[in-house]
């Protein structure tokens, strides 16, 4: 780090001749830098004042702070310039953005004033303050600036360090304590007390055993040969469709596909026809009773006859893909339910 | 009588204090014990509380008797000294040392003080003994004796003090004891009110004493008798008149003289021994003592002295008239007391010629009036606490001792030869006829009033005596409904009455023969006599004649005649006299009502001005707060705005000031 | 160019930061306004350090940075905690001081 600083310090005088002239005026280079940066900073500061979105305001402040870092360096305060970048733009502003994200970035603030008269008072006070302060510092007469060439003889960080660890070492220690206290304070302030016992994996598992029911994950839906879709129930080992393999949401919405229709399509395909009746695809041929029908026969034994054709089979192929947008595993569904319940 | 005749010139004597003996007599120091013993006894009785209930009254009697023994010893010692050395000052060390005012606590042991001390302790002891029986059934008897001892101590301090300040301590002490004893049965509201009335009236008098002390301090820079009396010669007459009038005010308050006389009648609310000791024999005579003690001041302030005499004369008649109409035996006696003290004050107002007779009459009056009060107490004791004389009658046959002792007192107050009153009261009448400073009108006026007073006194005292002991029985039923059974009181009560009766009979002759006037001379000064405007035998004859008229009149009306049980409406004068000549009405109209009005005005002023200022301030604060509250809208941004505006304003001001 | 220009720039930035504090309701933006004010004082300190040829100003600016960092940590924690309980980051909603 010190190496980097030294390098920067060594490089800077070449770029920004900070030394003052005899009259205490700056070099032209510095003047140019100032006149470029100052308007940008003022504009950015005004951005803070007027920005509707907090993120924009934060970015405007970042601009001001980086520009300040430049000005510090131009004013022979290399250490402070670097510290400004590290502390303010690197840490403080990032912290700001972080909190911003936490609080919610998408809300834009209303600029309508709610306290009566506050806007005029604020503007008056702000402008008045600016005028008074600028008037005071601008019209005061100063002795010719002496510059920091002598003070920075052993490089700026060394000079600053001598003062900090020499004259101001006690203040330094105290400030260190302050930082520790602040960190602890932040911890305490943001700590949220847990009001209910924590429910982890172990507790969930134990509850499932206690309540009985299925211990293993529910079967995944859509394991027909042609259709791997969420709305199609899986078939059990005995060839029967498993209703609960379809996500509960789809079942509630009535978007569940009819297993018998698919069985019929399978039979048709196996018989050498198009699955949709008009498709160009031909499946492999085979003898024997149609597989799907056979499976369904077991399932619907004693029930009504298997339908010959699916009524809405034309777009059957597209439906599952549409439904898969909100795909859920059965297990995931259950997890979601628990969360809602909690 | 021969002493009076031997006096030839009325010249005012030199200041008494010039004769203070340079030779100190150590025996005078014993006088301290006179005060200390009853005071310690009172403290013991009050502090021990109920633990002393069984023997407390005997301790009280013992303390009083011990004081009497000491007093007797000191008096005998004093008699052994030459007359010029009979004024002894006993210093007890510096008491008050406040800048310019330094007062030494000290006692003045002289014939005047010792006369009082003997009277107080002797009569006091007798009444203590009487009270043992009289208060036997009272649960608070111990407390009663504690107060009595406190009174004795305070009264002795009053008469023994050698400065007006220490006298004032005793003065207040007897006032306190009087208050406590009048209100001894304070569960009875009228009694408590009577105690308060006595207290307030006494305070009015005390203001006079305090004023007098202030004037003395301003004039003489000191308050002890020696310095004050020695400085009289240098003081202006105006100042001395003021001091004299202030002292007279004090005396009026304490001695129930016009116009502060109203409390004495109500003070009869206290137990009868209290009435006998405090409100007849001793405390009420403190005013006379004060005037006599300050004789040097009055001698130099003739106007004040004249006022004293006038007050005495008015009160003399006032009390006598009131006494004629009262049906309550104790109140009639109280009116009599008032009248008799009027005689004393009149005598004191006559100047040195009257001082000795004032004190003489004070002593004899102390005996026969205390005796009559005790007799009244005995009658009440036998008559179930009945006090209405119209409900007595014919009691002489049932209470022989009381009858005889009361008769002794009655004859004494009438001034019948050779009873005590003849030697003292008649001397006052004679002295009143002596022209002062060659102004015969005074002699005629004061002498005439004194003579008239003697006649009225004879009438009302005879009325009292005949209503109670003679005539028909007009007894009421007892409070429990049974018939009255009047009976003689126990020995503890009759013995003191007998002793006092003996005094009433023989004391005047005894003291007169023993040279009481000369004995007092070291204290009150020697007065040369001046012939009265009438020959002395004429005055004596007139007095006795008037007395006889009064007695015969009373005999016909109240012993022979029918006495109605219910008081008749009576004439205007009777009705007025029954109401104490409207003194309470006048007091109410002149003092109480304006005082109430003043108080109400002050309260109104307090509410309107002071309270409104305070509450107005509060309301203003609330109003300002209400207005400023709007600024406190709870928005942090508003607060920040005020901060910023303040900052800008401050900067602008600083810039503007700095130019 | 005179160094005064830096000072004027700092004053302007400070005024804008203060106005932000007064006018914006979003606590995070208000906070950024405060940061802006702190930064402008830092610029002032650095410039004056150069005026006087003395590094103490820069040291002071350094301390300001550290304290500002601590302040940001705590301040943002407070904002987060308020947001959690009230679902709002508006400073006007925190007005329980009003009766």
């Amino acid at each position: 780090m010190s190496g980097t600083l030294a390098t920067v310090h060594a490089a800077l005088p070449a770029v920004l001749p900070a030394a003052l002239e005899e009259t205490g005026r700056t070099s032209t280079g510095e003047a140019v830098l100032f006149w470029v940066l100052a308007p940008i900073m003022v504009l950015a500061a005004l951005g803070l004042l007027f920005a509707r979105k907090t993120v924009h305001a934060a970015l405007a402040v970042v601009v001001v702070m980086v520009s300040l870092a430049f000005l510090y360096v131009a004013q022979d305060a290399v250490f402070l310039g670097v510290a400004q970048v590290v502390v303010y733009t690197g840490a403080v502003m990032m912290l700001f953005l972080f909190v911003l994200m936490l609080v919610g970035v998408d809300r834009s603030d209303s600029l309508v004033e709610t306290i009566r008269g506050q806007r005029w008072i604020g503007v008056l006070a702000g402008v008045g303050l600016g005028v008074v302060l600028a008037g005071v510092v601008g019209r005061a007469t100063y002795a010719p600036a002496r510059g920091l060439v002598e003070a920075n003889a052993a490089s700026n960080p060394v000079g600053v360090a001598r003062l900090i660890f020499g004259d101001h070492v006690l203040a330094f220690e105290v400030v260190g304590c302050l930082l520790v206290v602040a960190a602890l304070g932040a911890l305490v302030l943001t700590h949220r007390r847990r009001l209910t016992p924590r429910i982890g994996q172990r507790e969930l598992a134990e509850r499932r055993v206690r309540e009985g029911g299925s211990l293993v994950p529910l079967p995944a839906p859509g394991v027909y040969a042609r259709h791997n879709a969420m709305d199609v129930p899986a078939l059990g080992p005995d060839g029967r469709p498993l209703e609960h393999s379809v996500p509960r949401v789809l079942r509630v919405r009535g978007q569940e596909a009819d297993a018998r229709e698919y069985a019929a399509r399978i039979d048709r395909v196996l018989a050498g026809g198009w699955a949709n009746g008009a498709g160009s695809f031909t499946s492999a041929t085979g003898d024997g009773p149609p597989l799907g029908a056979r499976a369904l026969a077991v399932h619907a034994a004693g029930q009504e006859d298997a339908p010959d054709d699916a009524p809405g089979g034309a777009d059957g192929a597209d439906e599952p893909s549409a439904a898969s947008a909100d795909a859920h595993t059965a297990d995931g569904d259950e997890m979601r339910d628990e969360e809602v319940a909690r | 009588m021969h002493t009076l005749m031997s006096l030839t010139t009325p010249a005012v004597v030199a200041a008494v204090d010039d004769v203070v003996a340079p030779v100190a007599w150590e025996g005078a120091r014993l006088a301290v014990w006179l005060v200390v013993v009853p005071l310690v006894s009172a403290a013991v009785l009050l502090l021990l509380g109920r633990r002393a209930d069984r023997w407390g009254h005997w301790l009280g009697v013992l303390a009083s008797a011990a004081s009497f023994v000491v007093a007797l010893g000191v008096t005998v010692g004093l008699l052994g000294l030459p007359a010029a050395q009979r004024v002894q000052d006993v210093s007890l060390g510096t008491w008050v040392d406040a800048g310019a005012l330094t007062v030494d606590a000290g006692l003045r042991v002289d014939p005047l003080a010792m006369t009082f001390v003997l009277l107080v302790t002797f009569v006091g002891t007798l009444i203590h003994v009487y009270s043992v029986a009289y208060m036997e059934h009272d649960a608070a008897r111990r407390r009663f004796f504690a107060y009595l001892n406190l009174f004795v101590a305070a009264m002795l301090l009053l008469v023994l003090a050698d400065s007006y300040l220490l006298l004032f301590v005793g003065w207040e002490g007897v006032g306190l004891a009087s208050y406590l004893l009048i209100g001894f049965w304070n569960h009875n509201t009228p009694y408590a009110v009577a105690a308060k009335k006595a207290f307030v009236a006494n305070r009015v008098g005390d203001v006079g004493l305090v004023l007098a002390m202030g004037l003395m301090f301003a004039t003489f820079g000191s308050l002890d008798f020696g310095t004050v009396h020695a400085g009289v010669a240098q003081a202006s007459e105006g100042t001395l008149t003021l001091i004299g009038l202030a002292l007279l005010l004090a005396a009026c308050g304490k001695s129930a003289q016009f116009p502060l006389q109203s409390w004495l009648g109500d003070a009869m609310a206290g137990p009868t021994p209290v009435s006998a000791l405090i409100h007849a024999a001793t405390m009420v005579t403190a005013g006379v003592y004060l005037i006599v003690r300050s004789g040097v001041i009055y001698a130099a302030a003739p106007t004040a002295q004249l006022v004293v005499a006038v007050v005495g004369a008015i009160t003399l008649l006032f009390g006598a008239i009131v006494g004629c109409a009262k049906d309550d035996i104790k109140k009639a006696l109280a009116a009599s007391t008032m009248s008799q003290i009027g005689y004393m004050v009149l005598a004191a107002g006559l100047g040195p010629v009257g001082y000795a007779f004032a004190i003489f009459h004070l002593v004899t009056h102390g005996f026969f009036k205390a005796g009559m009060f005790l007799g009244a107490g005995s009658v009440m004791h036998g008559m179930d606490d009945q006090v209405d004389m119209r409900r007595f009658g014919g009691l002489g046959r049932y209470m022989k001792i009381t009858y005889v002792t009361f008769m002794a007192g009655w004859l004494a107050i009438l001034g019948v030869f050779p009873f005590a009153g003849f030697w003292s009261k008649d001397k006052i009448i004679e002295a009143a006829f002596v022209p002062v400073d060659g102004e015969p009108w005074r002699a005629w006026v004061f002498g005439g009033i004194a003579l008239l007073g003697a006649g009225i006194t004879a009438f009302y005292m005879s009325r009292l005596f005949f209503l109670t002991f003679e005539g028909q029985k007009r007894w009421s039923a007892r409070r429990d409904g049974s018939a009255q059974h009047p009976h003689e009181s126990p020995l503890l009560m009759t013995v003191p009455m007998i002793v006092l009766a003996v005094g009433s009979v023989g004391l005047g002759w005894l003291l007169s023969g023993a040279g009481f006037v000369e004995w007092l001379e070291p204290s009150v000064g020697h007065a040369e006599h001046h012939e009265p405007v009438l020959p002395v035998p004429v005055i004596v004859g007139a007095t006795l004649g008037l007395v006889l008229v009064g007695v015969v009149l009373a005999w016909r009306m109240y012993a022979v005649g029918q006495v109605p049980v219910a008081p008749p409406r009576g004439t205007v004068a009777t009705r007025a006299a029954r109401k104490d000549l409207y003194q309470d009405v006048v007091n109410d109209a002149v003092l109480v009502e304006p005082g109430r009005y003043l108080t109400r005005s002050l309260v109104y002023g307090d509410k309107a001005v002071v309270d409104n200022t305070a509450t107005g301030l509060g309301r203003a604060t609330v109003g300002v707060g209400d207005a400023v509250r709007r600024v406190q809208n709870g928005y942090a941004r508003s607060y920040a705005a005020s901060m910023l505006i303040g900052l800008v304003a401050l900067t602008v001001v600083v810039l503007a000031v700095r130019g | 160019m005179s160094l005064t220009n830096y000072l004027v720039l700092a004053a302007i930035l400070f005024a804008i930061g203060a106005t932000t504090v007064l006018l914006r309701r979003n606590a995070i933006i208000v906070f950024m306004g405060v940061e802006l004010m702190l930064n402008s004082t830092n610029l002032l300190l650095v410039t004056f350090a150069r005026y006087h040829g003395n590094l103490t100003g820069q040291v002071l600016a350094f301390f300001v940075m550290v304290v500002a960092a601590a302040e940001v940590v705590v301040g943002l924690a407070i904002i987060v905690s308020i947001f959690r309980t009230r679902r709002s980051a508006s400073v006007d909603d925190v007005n329980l001081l009003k009766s």
Side-chain angles (χ1 to χ4, degrees), chain B residues 95-331:
Chain B
W95 176 31
V96 177
D97 187 5
L101 176 66
T102 305
V103 179
D104 288 352
L107 303 182
R108 165 164 290 196
V109 180
D110 67 352
L112 178 61
M114 288 322 292
T115 305
F116 259 91
V117 169
L118 282 175
L119 175 72
V120 170
T121 51
F122 183 68
V123 177
T125 305
L126 288 179
I127 291 174
H128 272 74
V129 172
Y130 179 91
S131 305
V132 170
Y134 188 84
M135 300 294 285
E136 193 173 2
H137 303 296
D138 198 297
R141 181 163 64 162
R142 172 195 47 79
R143 193 158 55 87
F144 180 80
F145 276 86
Y147 292 162
L148 275 188
N149 273 337
L150 177 66
F151 167 77
V152 169
M155 189 71 203
L156 294 181
L157 183 64
L158 194 164
V159 296
L160 282 169
D162 78 337
S163 68
Y164 284 98
L165 197 61
L166 196 59
L167 180 148
F168 188 63
V169 175
W171 190 268
E172 292 300 309
V174 293
L176 170 69
S178 163
Y179 167 76
L180 290 172
L181 286 166
I182 294 171
F184 188 72
W185 290 318
N186 57 10
H187 46 83
N188 196 332
T189 308
Y191 293 5
V193 172
K196 201 160 76 180
K197 187 176 177 184
F199 197 77
V200 171
N202 270 294
R203 292 293 82 70
V204 176
D206 295 347
V207 171
L209 191 47
V210 172
L211 272 177
M213 285 198 288
L215 285 167
M216 283 175 200
F217 176 58
T219 314
F220 310 112
S222 176
L223 292 176
D224 59 294
F225 296 149
T227 317
V228 171
H229 295 171
V232 165
Q234 285 83 46
S236 74
E237 196 184 320
T239 314
L240 291 174
T241 306
L242 278 178
I243 294 176
L245 291 178
L247 287 172
L248 176 63
L249 180 64
C252 285
K254 195 58 85 188
S255 293
Q257 297 298 293
F258 184 83
L260 295 175
Q261 79 287 9
S262 66
W263 63 272
L264 188 59
D266 290 343
M268 295 302 119
T272 306
V274 172
S275 309
L277 177 62
I278 300 184
H279 304 122
T282 54
M283 185 193 87
V284 285
T285 59
V288 180
Y289 169 79
L290 184 67
I291 293 173
V292 172
R293 182 57 99 189
S294 310
V296 181
I297 294 173
Y298 286 107
T303 317
Q305 202 164 37
L306 180 62
V307 175
V308 171
V310 169
V311 165
I314 293 176
T315 314
L316 185 170
L317 280 183
F318 193 105
I321 293 168
V322 170
C324 292
K326 287 287 177 186
D327 290 330
D328 181 323
I329 184 170
K330 282 181 73 181
K331 290 200 170 170

Side-chain angles (χ1 to χ4, degrees), chain A residues 18 20 25-26 30-31 34-35 38 41-42 45-46 48-52 54 57-58 61 64-65 68 71-72 74-77 79-80 83-84 88 92-93 95-96 99-100 102-103 109-115 118-119 122-123 125-126 129-130 133-134 137-138 142-148 151-152 156 159-160 163-164 168 171-172 175 178-179 182 186 189-192, chain C residues 1-84 87-90 92:
Chain A
L20 296 170
R25 298 184 71 81
T26 58
E30 192 182 338
F34 178 83
W35 286 118
M41 288 166 71
V42 172
L46 287 175
L48 165 69
L49 183 53
F50 292 116
R52 221 168 247 279
T54 321
V61 173
V64 175
M65 283 172 174
L68 269 177
L71 291 188
Y72 289 168
Q75 296 211 71
D76 272 350
F79 174 71
L80 272 187
Q84 169 84 3
Y88 270 114
V92 171
M93 287 320 294
L95 200 57
F96 264 106
V99 171
L100 220 57
L102 211 62
V103 169
D109 285 345
S110 158
L111 288 179
V112 177
E113 187 52 62
T114 46
I115 306 175
Q118 175 76 8
R119 170 160 292 171
V123 169
L129 186 68
L133 287 186
V137 297
Y142 307 94
R146 290 169 60 186
L148 290 168
N152 280 348
N156 174 255
V160 172
L163 277 177
I164 291 178
H168 303 286
F172 184 75
V175 159
L178 178 71
L179 276 178
L189 279 171
T190 52
H191 174 75
R192 182 152 50 172
Chain C
M1 186 190 77
S2 161
L3 288 186
T4 310
N5 290 2
Y6 285 110
L7 303 178
V8 174
L9 176 64
I12 291 172
L13 291 180
F14 189 90
I16 293 175
T19 314
T20 307
V21 172
L22 293 193
L23 292 186
R24 296 304 295 262
R25 274 195 300 272
N26 189 324
I28 298 173
I29 292 184
V30 168
F31 214 3
M32 287 195 280
V34 173
E35 291 302 314
L36 193 58
M37 288 157 81
L38 284 170
N39 269 299
S40 73
T41 54
N42 274 0
L43 178 57
L44 212 66
L45 285 170
V46 169
T47 310
F48 275 121
R50 204 171 168 212
Y51 256 120
H52 296 298
N54 188 336
L55 286 176
T56 308
Q58 291 189 13
V59 172
L60 208 57
F62 166 74
F63 281 132
V64 170
M65 271 187 198
V66 180
V67 174
E71 173 231 342
V72 162
V73 169
V74 175
L76 284 177
I78 291 173
I79 289 175
V80 166
S81 124
I82 289 177
F83 183 81
R84 256 192 210 150
R87 292 281 139 192
S88 160
S90 167
D92 286 359

